[in-house]
Amino acid sequence: SAATGVCREATVCAASMAELRVSTDDEATYSVDEALEAMPLGRLHLGVFCACGFAWMVDGMEVLLLAFVGPALRCEWGVTDYQAASMTTIVFAGMSVGAVTWGWVADTYGRKASLLVSTSIILVAGASCAFAQSFAFLLVGRLVVGFGVSGAHVAFSLLVEWMPPRYRGRMGIALCVWWSVGAVAEATLARIIMPWLGWRYLLGASALPAVLLLCAGPWIPESPRYYVSRGRQAEAQVSLEMAAISCGVTLPCGKLADRSATSNE
């Protein structure tokens, strides 16, 4: 009977340990960074890098554009040096307003939505400037372009929030290369278009890269960190699973949790 009692206690103890292990597994969680850290750089990361880089390329083109349009306006419309310089000033004025706007939009409606809406503004306002019939209209157009251009910097947030932590610094810095590519592309376009077609065609052509970025919009993934910050864990889980599949790995065991919210409390 003593042996039977010992066996019964051992059985109960084993069952309790099994229940404890199941409970522990059910409560296992992982953060967005832990999920990303488990991934190598894959096709999804490369696609995000190129999409965000294209946004910075558009930024570089629109800013450098003014260096080529100003001299042409002096000849065609007889604008003064002060008026030509005001075109640059008005763009940065628009960027100043946008800088305090797009961050709120990105946090409220998502990085992807903020990036695509700002790109749409750049496209519409930039193309409208090509049809300007007065210097005042052109200034208003460039003001709106500046407002949209500041939204391109949301691309940096989208990029670093998708990169594995061990690659985050170098990929964020590498994004700056795209701005230089945009500046070189704008200078090349000006070299080809300005002597033959004039500044209006240059303004129109400079807005075309924004069209390509908008066409890629459906394939740009939203930041999983944004989903988690808004309590949309299921959508974050799906996006991370897609990224893991594209990289040929699996996510950590457990379920996705907002570790940052817990640590801040």
Side-chain angles (χ1 to χ4, degrees):
S1 61
T4 303
V6 171
C7 291
R8 185 179 296 109
E9 290 178 2
T11 301
V12 172
C13 182
S16 299
M17 292 297 294
E19 291 177 358
L20 179 59
R21 284 196 297 269
V22 171
S23 176
T24 301
D25 290 340
D26 289 342
E27 295 174 358
T29 60
Y30 61 88
S31 67
V32 172
D33 275 354
E34 288 170 340
L36 293 174
E37 186 63 33
M39 304 177 195
L41 287 178
R43 294 192 307 274
L44 183 139
H45 300 102
L46 179 61
V48 172
F49 177 72
C50 291
C52 294
F54 226 79
W56 275 51
M57 179 179 171
V58 171
D59 185 347
M61 292 181 70
E62 290 293 339
V63 171
L64 194 66
L65 170 67
L66 303 174
F68 304 103
V69 173
L73 291 180
R74 289 190 184 95
C75 297
E76 183 171 334
W77 286 353
V79 300
T80 65
D81 291 343
Y82 174 80
Q83 289 175 316
S86 66
M87 283 200 308
T88 302
T89 304
I90 203 71
V91 169
F92 285 103
M95 291 177 68
S96 299
V97 176
V100 297
T101 303
W102 292 114
W104 174 83
V105 174
D107 286 340
T108 305
Y109 300 103
R111 286 44 161 156
K112 176 181 175 178
S114 177
L115 180 62
L116 295 181
V117 170
S118 63
T119 302
S120 300
I121 291 174
I122 294 172
L123 173 61
V124 174
S128 298
C129 289
F131 300 96
Q133 298 300 315
S134 67
F135 186 71
F137 183 91
L138 185 60
L139 280 182
V140 173
R142 299 317 295 176
L143 175 68
V144 178
V145 167
F147 178 77
V149 162
S150 62
H153 294 192
V154 174
F156 183 85
S157 298
L158 179 61
L159 175 69
V160 298
E161 289 177 6
W162 262 115
M163 289 297 120
R166 62 188 183 278
Y167 296 114
R168 197 165 285 165
R170 71 190 78 171
M171 296 303 288
I173 297 300
L175 187 65
C176 299
V177 173
W178 286 89
W179 199 96
S180 300
V181 170
V184 172
E186 186 63 37
T188 304
L189 279 177
R191 176 75 174 177
I192 297 172
I193 294 176
M194 288 290 288
W196 303 99
L197 300 174
W199 62 272
R200 295 183 186 276
Y201 283 89
L202 180 62
L203 284 170
S206 299
L208 290 180
V211 176
L212 299 179
L213 181 58
L214 292 175
C215 289
W219 292 276
I220 299 175
E222 180 57 89
S223 164
R225 186 177 294 276
Y226 163 73
Y227 282 139
V228 170
S229 70
R230 306 300 291 184
R232 297 159 63 177
Q233 252 73 6
E235 292 168 273
Q237 180 88 29
V238 171
S239 63
L240 288 172
E241 287 175 353
M242 291 174 54
I245 292 172
S246 71
C247 294
V249 299
T250 57
L251 294 178
C253 296
K255 63 179 182 180
L256 181 64
D258 185 3
R259 292 276 183 88
S260 61
T262 303
S263 62
N264 289 335
E265 292 178 351

